[in-house]
Amino acid sequence: QVQLVESGGGLVQPGGSLRLSCAASGFSFSSYTMSWYRQAPGKERELVAVITSSGGRTNYADSVNGRFTISRDNAKNTVYLQMNSLKPDDTAVYLCNAKHYVTGINHWGQGTQVTVSS
């Protein structure tokens, strides 16, 4: 059974940091490009960060570039999102996505809430 389970969300003050984790199971994690998306109320889902299957390349949305870092540990089947200098505009549900680099098969997690507020 394919599972992506996000954790690490919560309430943080502006300027603070959080580290999200996404634990994968039920598929060949090292064959998948991993991404973090976010969706705020009333807004479209937004791609935040992407990391290739080997971890050799990453890409970020302009809105988070320089503040967020995506990484992965293929031995632990886990992808991370380190979020620094958080802003109220970063408030959203953060979702983990896995996409096979050849077939394009997609898997989604349920999401974890991040709230940035004083």
Side-chain angles (χ1 to χ4, degrees):
Q1 181 182 1
V2 172
Q3 279 195 311
L4 291 171
V5 180
E6 300 96 334
S7 61
L11 174 64
V12 63
Q13 291 188 343
S17 297
L18 282 175
R19 188 194 195 203
L20 305 183
S21 299
C22 173
S25 61
F27 63 97
S28 180
F29 181 76
S30 61
S31 296
Y32 283 71
T33 296
M34 299 300 297
S35 303
W36 285 97
Y37 286 75
R38 66 186 180 187
Q39 188 158 21
K43 294 187 177 181
E44 292 188 358
R45 188 169 292 184
E46 174 189 18
L47 177 62
V48 175
V50 185
I51 187 166
T52 55
S53 56
S54 67
R57 287 187 297 169
T58 59
N59 200 14
Y60 299 91
D62 289 344
S63 57
V64 308
N65 198 20
R67 300 187 297 123
F68 291 10
T69 303
I70 188 170
S71 61
R72 67 189 293 162
D73 186 337
N74 284 353
K76 296 183 178 179
N77 289 356
T78 302
V79 62
Y80 306 96
L81 186 68
Q82 177 67 43
M83 305 186 296
N84 298 329
S85 303
L86 283 161
K87 306 174 181 179
D89 282 351
D90 295 319
T91 295
V93 174
Y94 283 71
L95 303 111
C96 179
N97 173 268
K99 184 176 181 180
H100 194 275
Y101 77 102
V102 173
T103 66
I105 292 174
N106 262 285
H107 305 300
W108 288 94
Q110 298 280 17
T112 184
Q113 176 70 46
V114 171
T115 302
V116 184
S117 175
S118 55

